[in-house]
Amino acid sequence: MVSEYLKQNTAEFHDAAEKLFNSKKIFDRTFTLEDYKKIIGRNYLMLLHSEDQIFDSLSEKFSEKLQLEERKKLPLIEQDLKSLDMENRKVSGELCFSNENEALGAMYVIEGSTLGGNVIAKQLSKTEGFDDVTFNFFGCYRENTGFMWKNFKEVLDNEVHEKNYDEVLSGAKKLYTFLLNVH
């Protein structure tokens, strides 16, 4: 199953992102609004440079099975930017996916961020200083987070053939690398 393959082969990237974003501080309630702005800023740039490209790379089959219209997150994170008085930026064009499989791998990173983001939103909503934060991006699926993640993994596992696993992994690594290095 490609979802397990991705999980195993991107673990080091996931851990690096958690370290970069000081995720431990979320759970000991020492996470600050500045820490949160850092996460939102980088995730915004990731979405800005990838979401349209990913969606445009996917065939009609994936568009339907994944309910892509419900998975658009760029407008949500732009609402978060506005509420945090952060600036929108322009695409600098430094990220490119070669094919549909790479786009699916990149989408794995984004969908995974919303799974973890749901936990982040719940935790931070109980943290002092986050009373006015809206969590549009991290709370995008609300009570449907588990269902949306499960649906995504099922479609990936059913539609991606083993011979294409490396291409999917390549897309995931490209997006993780971008997220970890963008400013």
Side-chain angles (χ1 to χ4, degrees):
M1 295 192 332
V2 73
S3 62
E4 273 306 306
Y5 180 80
L6 288 169
K7 183 177 180 180
Q8 291 169 5
N9 289 285
T10 61
E12 66 188 82
F13 291 94
H14 180 268
D15 294 347
E18 285 195 343
K19 185 177 180 183
L20 176 69
F21 295 136
N22 296 314
S23 297
K24 284 187 281 184
K25 290 171 63 176
I26 294 169
F27 298 98
D28 66 17
R29 301 208 176 158
T30 59
F31 202 75
T32 66
L33 199 54
E34 286 308 309
D35 292 325
Y36 182 68
K37 285 181 177 183
K38 180 179 176 182
I39 286 182
I40 290 299
R42 284 190 184 236
N43 276 282
Y44 164 67
L45 289 172
M46 174 184 72
L47 289 169
L48 181 68
H49 285 81
S50 67
E51 188 172 78
D52 288 343
Q53 190 184 151
I54 290 168
F55 285 23
D56 290 346
S57 298
L58 297 178
S59 64
E60 189 68 33
K61 164 181 76 174
F62 285 110
S63 183
E64 288 174 25
K65 289 183 178 187
L66 292 173
Q67 306 134 351
L68 290 186
E69 282 303 311
E70 294 178 39
R71 293 186 187 269
K72 289 192 176 181
K73 295 170 189 66
L74 187 58
L76 299 172
I77 204 163
E78 286 173 339
Q79 291 173 10
D80 288 336
L81 286 179
K82 188 174 182 180
S83 72
L84 294 166
D85 291 325
M86 296 173 68
E87 263 184 51
N88 285 23
R89 308 242 307 256
K90 287 188 168 40
V91 174
S92 59
E94 55 203 49
L95 187 61
C96 184
F97 305 108
S98 304
N99 55 44
E100 183 172 65
N101 289 315
E102 281 197 354
L104 288 168
M107 193 170 175
Y108 171 85
V109 176
I110 294 171
E111 289 302 310
S113 73
T114 59
L115 186 66
N118 192 45
V119 175
I120 291 170
K122 283 181 183 173
Q123 203 58 39
L124 290 181
S125 66
K126 302 176 206 167
T127 302
E128 188 177 326
F130 287 87
D131 301 336
D132 297 328
V133 175
T134 54
F135 303 110
N136 293 298
F137 169 60
F138 281 137
C140 66
Y141 297 142
R142 309 268 181 244
E143 67 278 351
N144 293 323
T145 302
F147 169 79
M148 293 297 278
W149 175 246
K150 185 177 175 203
N151 167 256
F152 177 74
K153 282 187 5 178
E154 281 176 4
V155 171
L156 224 58
D157 290 337
N158 290 330
E159 299 294 333
V160 176
H161 300 286
E162 195 168 347
K163 65 180 180 176
N164 298 321
Y165 282 15
D166 285 341
E167 288 181 345
V168 178
L169 178 60
S170 173
K173 285 182 173 181
K174 278 183 184 181
L175 196 57
Y176 262 126
T177 301
F178 182 85
L179 177 66
L180 293 169
N181 293 299
V182 71
H183 297 292

